[in-house]
Each structure stands twice: as structure tokens, then as C-alpha cells.
Amino acid sequence: MRAAQVSKLEGPESVEIVDLPEPKGYPGGVVIDVHAAGVAFPDVLMTRGLYQMKPELPFVVGGEVAGIVREAPADAHVAAGDRVVALTLLGNAMAEVAVAPTQMVFKLPDNVSLEAGAGILFNDLTVQFCLRKRGRLAEGETVLVHGAAGGIGTSTLRMAGALGAGRVIAVVSTEAKAEVARANGATDVVLADGWLAAVKELTGGRGVDIVLDPVGGDRFTDSIRSLASAGRLLVVGFTAGEIPTVKVNRLLLKNVEVIGAAWGEWVMTHPGYLTEQWDEVAPLLAAGKIAAPKPVLYPLERAAEAIASLDNRTATGKVVVTLR
């Protein structure tokens, strides 16, 4: 089978397309003929050995797939021929065949294409976790998201309204990215330059209830300033590279919170949580209440370029590598 492999930790440019033996099934594993694989920021970090999980070299990059079940355990909730999405854990996704644990494989609604399906699990379930579990989103609240034209950003724009938000404000760096944000459902869009003043004006000085921040960097303090009383700032990641710090007196003065939102850690320490999430998200996708993502597609031969687009922040929306 063809696969995108990392054999040296030199960043996305070190990804090579190789021929490998197909993986063997294992007890409790589902064998999937992969049609598409999602790209996420942890893939960038893993190509440099900077992610908290470090598979042994060489490894097949990627952690989420969409495809057709080839083989499943007799007692599994999926069977041969089913259209599914799945998490493969430590790599092993960007290959023509993958094996995933049964509890991390889910039937894909018929109205969602396999290419779009490959863009759902990491980002959409991260956002659902952020807004539901960590952000405690209440009906009608205002959500602001940084990096709104990226993968997590567009997922937030697509999902927040269906999860109860009354208003979703997108912060983007360019006018081109503003169009991406509007196309994905932003109620309001502001440019990063001067964003805090613009948000204060939009909200009549009140501020926002939730800030979802996958960017980090120098916007962090202003994100705290943008919060309404009892607002929550969700720390999702640091694609800007710099890990910010917070002076806790700012939290005391405004009765606001800074909350860590590490979906992967929660999933690994709370068995059954993935199924709980999918049980909410899948019906919303099937009913069209959450629009399926419209990913940017790259063929497997351009997997290195696909991963690099997240590294250099040129990606808009979810990036997906196609294999069939």
C-alpha cells in the first residue's frame, strides 16, 4: 500500500510517499480501506518530534481517516461495507489501509462525503468538547474564535450555533480569510489588527462570553480583556508558536476564567467520551444543523505540502489528503 511516512524529524518536508505492507488487524481492531485522511496541527509537531506523543521512527503520519470497513470484529457496531470515520491514534492514518480501535470508529451519516468526513473528528469533536464540556456554553451566548479561517476556527463557526450560541464572532488576519469565515457561518468578522476595539463596539462594550483560542501568542491578554463578566477563555493550542502567560489579577478583577481545553487528554482518560460526543454531533450532521466541512483536498503525493500548509498558516478550513 502507499503511505505518507516520516523517517527523520525535520518537519513536514521530511514526509515521503512509500510502499509498505498493509497493516494486520488486531483483536478489537477495525480494518479500513482509507479514502481520505485529515490533517491536524499535531501532525506538524509530530514531524519534528515536538508533540507529547512520539511514535518510533519511521511512522505513518496522520490520526484521522474516513473510508469503508473491510473487516470488523463480529461484536462490533460496524461491519464490512460501512462508511466510517475513525481515529488511528499514533499516526497510521495517511495510508491506503488503516486499523483503528473499535471504540474509535463511527458510522458516517449518508449525507456527508468521505472527503468531508475525514475532516470531522479532530476538529469538530475538539470544538464540541471546548464549548460543551469546558466552556459550559449557555443558550444565546456570544462566542469569539481566533484563527477563524483555520481548521478549528471553521469548525467553531459551523458548530457553535447548533450547540446554542446566539452570536459567533470570527477574528481573521486578512480579507481573504474573512470571506472564508463568512462562508462558514460567522455572525460577525473582524480583522486581527484592532480586533479588541472592534469587538467591544460590536457588543456595546459588554464583551463576549467565550473566547476559543487555538492561536495563543500576543493576543492572549486582549482576549481576557474582551470577556464579559463571568466569561471564559478556552486555551486550545498555540499555532502562533509563543505560549502566553496570564497575570491572575486580571481574572479576579473581572470574574473571568482561563480554561485549558485539551480534547485528546480528556478522550484518553475518559473511556466512552468519544461515543458520547458522536451521539450528539452525528444527528446534527445528518439533519443538516451542522454543515459538513468543505475541506481543502490534496492527493497523497502532496501530503508534505498539505501538512506544511498548517505549519506556514496558509491553510484555510480543514485540510484533507485523499487516497482513493
Side-chain angles (χ1 to χ4, degrees), residues 227-238:
L227 292 172
S229 179
R232 289 86 73 200
L233 169 53
L234 303 176
V235 181
V236 185
F238 312 103

Side-chain angles (χ1 to χ4, degrees), residues 186-260:
T187 309
D188 304 277
V189 181
V190 298
L191 293 178
D193 185 17
W195 73 269
L196 179 59
V199 168
K200 288 290 188 181
E201 183 176 351
L202 283 172
T203 61
R206 177 184 177 274
V208 301
D209 299 293
I210 292 176
V211 172
L212 197 150
D213 182 15
V215 178
D218 58 8
R219 300 183 197 178
F220 197 77
T221 298
D222 278 349
S223 290
I224 296 173
R225 292 185 177 122
S226 77
L227 292 172
S229 179
R232 289 86 73 200
L233 169 53
L234 303 176
V235 181
V236 185
F238 312 103
T239 59
E242 178 189 346
I243 298 177
T245 57
V246 57
K247 293 183 177 179
V248 295
N249 65 306
R250 296 185 184 278
L251 313 184
L252 177 63
L253 290 171
K254 291 188 65 178
N255 284 303
V256 296
E257 301 171 58
V258 174
I259 301 171

